[in-house]
Amino acid sequence: MMTQTKPPGIWRRMEALLPLVLTAAVYLSTAGNRAVLDYDEGHYAQVALQMVERGDWVTPYDNGVRFLEKPPLMYWLTAASLRAFGVNEFALRLPTALAVMALVWAVTRMARLAAGTRAAAIAGLCTASSVGTYLFTRETLHDVWLVLFITLALYAFLEWHLDPLHSLRHALVFYASLAGAVMTKSLIGVAFPVASVVVFFLLARERPKWRTLHVPPGLSLFLLLAVPWHWLVAIRNQDFLWFFFVNEQFLRFLGKHDPPIIWSVPLLVFWVLLLVWFFPWTAFLPAAFAESHKAADRSQRALVMLVFAWLIVVLGFYSVSGRLEHYAFPVLPALSLLVGVALSRSDDSWTVKWAFRGLAILGAVALVAGAVAGVWFVAAGHGFKTAEATRTGMAYETDFSVLAKIPAALQWSLLKPAAVTIAALAAGSLAALWFETRRRRMQAVLSLVAVMIVACGMIQWSLVICEEMISSKEFGLAVAREARPGDHVVVVGDFESANSLGFYQPLHVEVVDGVAYSLIPGMKFPDAPRIVLTATEFETLWRSGNRVYALLPRARLVEMNLGGTEILRVLDRVLVRNR
């Protein structure tokens, strides 16, 4: 049997704080110094910025158009940060970094409640250092807040369940977390936690007493927190309730959303990618599932059962609905809890040993394969296939489809962070195996965390390398240096291909030869500004007395015969001014 001495009191306290300290160091240090990304982040950054500029904290606007698809909590928090710290990239992403820290705290508290300090530390580290957690929080998105409130709700439920008195305090935290989730991503914020609780009771074959659920005070708190915004925004925006609840919730689930959803990750791909998003802790999932029946006491059994209910609900839902890569995010804390419990045990599990061996083998293979490929490319003079950094069309509707469009020059630049990541994986996984063979489990875990800290730094570096392709920051700054009231900026192509412009310059963005897909519902309001121009309207505007900036693909420059003055050229895009 594998034995471990109990860490002394000071080391236990350090273990308890370690996940939060490392999360703060990694996520706060990488929140800024990166451009706002086009498409999703471009939308949400603009909404928060316009809340600050307009002073309207009820109706969200994007590019001057109502943007009612999502609830406002994330916008409020982001707008508050922009108001407090100024309009900059760090202030934009600070709430997201704080949300990750809160998520890690909630996971550690949940694990500590049921499985002890060691399980809490490992579960928190797994949550913070998973590939998916870091990747899915590189943008300002609603999802990290949804995951946080789901986790808080289920943590409160676990406390309630383990409390013999089933106290009102725990129940109120549960209902308040449901309200937070609803104000983040609407009905799914209630559906996931409540369905998880229902499945938990079915698995446990328990029937709670109605009195202990504290429904009257809990429901009152939920309605108090969730209803006012919905009521106010419904008063101010015609047909909001139908659009927000029927179209955006039920019809989206049924695949009849207007405008139609034209993208979704295939189910098999979604499931396979889940293993990638949980890396490197994916290696320990067989051990976590195999060891789950060894729960030491009632608390651990309740935690494991709740985690299984959590996984069944979320994965079951996205198995029958449309899905994107980051929709797997809500299951990462659940998997982290399972792995935390499994790795915290002192027994000599062969599945855990083989997980460490498998990671060491993977690291060694990756190192050798990377070295061979690098030598072959350099010695043989091979290069990457040249790709045009095309930004029009709907290719950007999935999270990582942009990878197919990286130009050859950027692919070469990305080799450096890739090489560092591979070297870190090889060294860290071997170190982890060395510690594990010497029965130093926590040091083995920390070795893998160190690998992921390096990987996070390399992801940050890679995003900076690709900045000119995935953001329109440089063009926005160029316009901002010259823009004055009455000027126009027009994107030739889809609005989403350059919507980060709105964060860096003050003009509303117009579009020609493209669509503003995400703004279609808002453009139906009679007071919406005209965003999409016809070719004739653009030509008239270009030849008018107004100063107009046009951002277009280089290939269209000669075809459109615009003339004017070229302001900036970056990769395949050009910014020109008519006068």
Side-chain angles (χ1 to χ4, degrees):
M1 297 291 289
M2 184 178 181
T3 58
Q4 291 181 333
T5 58
K6 278 192 174 183
I10 188 170
W11 174 239
R12 276 190 179 276
R13 289 192 291 272
M14 289 175 62
E15 270 192 6
L17 291 174
L18 190 59
L20 199 57
V21 171
L22 289 179
T23 303
V26 171
Y27 285 82
L28 290 175
S29 66
T30 58
N33 302 317
R34 285 187 294 108
V36 175
L37 304 186
D38 289 320
Y39 202 73
D40 282 337
E41 189 173 41
H43 285 305
Y44 302 145
Q46 178 70 185
V47 172
L49 183 58
Q50 293 211 345
M51 278 190 172
V52 174
E53 294 174 346
R54 287 172 170 265
D56 185 350
W57 295 64
V58 174
T59 302
Y61 284 86
D62 179 7
N63 198 45
V65 175
R66 287 174 175 83
F67 194 71
L68 301 171
E69 283 81 354
K70 299 288 193 299
L73 182 56
M74 188 271 285
Y75 303 139
W76 289 344
L77 295 168
T78 306
S81 180
L82 293 173
R83 174 173 283 184
F85 302 107
V87 180
N88 58 76
E89 294 146 2
F90 178 80
L92 174 70
R93 299 192 182 102
L94 175 60
T96 296
L98 296 177
V100 178
M101 293 171 61
L103 173 63
V104 170
W105 173 85
V107 169
T108 58
R109 293 285 298 180
M110 198 170 180
R112 184 180 297 116
L113 175 66
T117 302
R118 177 60 58 87
I122 296 175
L125 291 169
C126 290
T127 302
S129 62
S130 297
V131 168
T133 302
Y134 191 75
L135 281 179
F136 299 148
T137 55
R138 295 308 83 209
E139 300 181 73
T140 301
L141 301 175
H142 299 264
D143 296 81
V144 66
W145 295 99
L146 172 67
V147 177
L148 169 61
F149 285 116
I150 290 173
T151 305
L152 286 173
L154 295 179
Y155 167 50
F157 168 75
L158 185 64
E159 283 200 306
W160 171 89
H161 180 73
L162 296 177
D163 179 5
L165 300 178
H166 299 304
S167 74
L168 174 63
R169 178 172 62 88
H170 301 319
L172 291 180
V173 173
F174 175 80
Y175 288 105
S177 299
L178 293 186
V182 165
M183 292 299 289
T184 299
K185 223 165 180 186
S186 199
L187 297 182
I188 201 172
V190 170
F192 281 174
V194 170
S196 297
V197 168
V198 171
V199 173
F200 171 84
F201 282 127
L202 292 174
L203 294 176
R205 298 180 181 179
E206 295 181 15
R207 179 180 294 180
K209 294 180 180 179
W210 178 259
R211 177 179 55 82
T212 65
L213 297 177
H214 305 289
V215 172
L219 184 59
S220 299
L221 177 62
F222 171 82
L223 295 175
L224 178 66
L225 295 174
V227 167
W229 174 78
H230 292 86
W231 178 68
L232 285 172
V233 76
I235 290 175
R236 299 185 185 184
N237 299 274
Q238 186 178 6
D239 297 326
F240 166 78
L241 294 178
W242 185 92
F243 171 77
F244 188 76
F245 287 108
V246 179
N247 188 64
E248 289 297 309
Q249 309 294 319
F250 297 106
L251 295 183
R252 179 184 289 269
F253 176 78
L254 296 172
K256 298 181 179 180
H257 179 269
D258 180 29
I261 302 298
I262 59 175
W263 63 91
S264 182
V265 175
L267 179 58
L268 180 59
V269 174
F270 179 80
W271 277 82
V272 171
L273 285 176
L274 178 59
L275 305 179
V276 176
W277 307 142
F278 196 52
F279 187 84
W281 312 107
T282 310
F284 301 99
L285 287 180
F289 285 106
E291 303 286 316
S292 61
H293 68 282
K294 295 182 180 179
D297 54 27
R298 174 175 176 265
S299 297
Q300 277 195 27
R301 288 193 295 273
L303 175 64
V304 170
M305 201 170 299
L306 182 59
V307 165
F308 276 113
W310 187 345
L311 294 173
I312 289 169
V313 168
V314 176
L315 293 176
F317 180 86
Y318 286 124
S319 292
V320 297
S321 72
R323 64 203 75 83
L324 293 176
E325 295 94 330
H326 67 269
Y327 289 4
F329 196 179
V331 306
L332 299 186
L335 296 176
S336 297
L337 287 164
L338 277 182
V339 170
V341 172
L343 292 183
S344 68
R345 294 198 177 104
S346 60
D347 58 330
D348 203 1
S349 167
W350 68 270
T351 50
V352 172
K353 285 185 176 297
W354 271 105
F356 280 107
R357 290 170 184 164
L359 286 172
I361 293 170
L362 175 64
V365 170
L367 183 64
V368 172
V372 171
V375 170
W376 181 72
F377 269 94
V378 173
H382 291 281
F384 290 104
K385 180 181 178 181
T386 300
E388 290 296 328
T390 307
R391 306 190 50 93
T392 55
M394 290 297 170
Y396 285 0
E397 297 295 358
T398 57
D399 293 335
F400 300 101
S401 53
V402 65
L403 297 177
K405 302 292 184 179
I406 299 177
L410 292 185
Q411 293 178 33
W412 278 110
S413 299
L414 291 171
L415 287 179
K416 294 178 182 178
V420 174
T421 302
I422 290 172
L425 174 62
S429 58
L430 288 172
L433 179 60
W434 187 86
F435 281 121
E436 176 65 16
T437 57
R438 283 153 182 79
R439 291 171 168 73
R440 296 164 68 179
R441 176 68 56 77
M442 196 62 192
Q443 288 86 339
V445 169
L446 290 174
S447 296
L448 296 179
V449 172
V451 172
M452 295 312 300
I453 290 175
V454 173
C456 291
M458 295 305 100
I459 291 171
Q460 174 83 353
W461 185 12
S462 300
L463 289 170
V464 172
I465 289 172
C466 295
E467 193 168 277
E468 294 177 341
M469 178 186 174
I470 59 181
S471 172
S472 301
K473 174 181 178 177
E474 293 302 318
F475 298 109
L477 293 176
V479 172
R481 285 191 287 267
E482 302 182 359
R484 59 195 182 195
D487 290 354
H488 295 258
V489 58
V490 181
V491 172
V492 179
D494 292 342
F495 172 71
E496 286 78 9
S497 71
N499 66 339
S500 64
L501 284 170
F503 189 78
Y504 296 104
Q505 56 81 39
L507 307 175
H508 287 318
V509 177
E510 298 166 276
V511 171
V512 65
D513 285 351
V515 298
Y517 189 79
S518 296
L519 301 185
I520 289 175
M523 290 190 293
K524 294 177 181 179
F525 284 85
D527 61 347
R530 187 166 179 79
I531 300 297
V532 180
L533 307 178
T534 65
T536 301
E537 288 171 333
F538 172 68
E539 183 177 353
T540 301
L541 178 64
W542 186 257
R543 305 197 185 285
S544 69
N546 296 315
R547 187 161 63 173
V548 181
Y549 299 87
L551 177 59
L552 67 160
R554 187 175 56 198
R556 300 291 308 277
L557 191 59
V558 175
E559 173 192 334
M560 296 184 72
N561 192 27
L562 294 179
T565 303
E566 182 175 317
I567 304 298
L568 182 64
R569 182 179 295 232
V570 177
L571 296 180
D572 72 324
R573 294 189 290 170
V574 183
L575 178 68
V576 295
R577 188 184 63 221
N578 66 338
R579 63 185 71 256

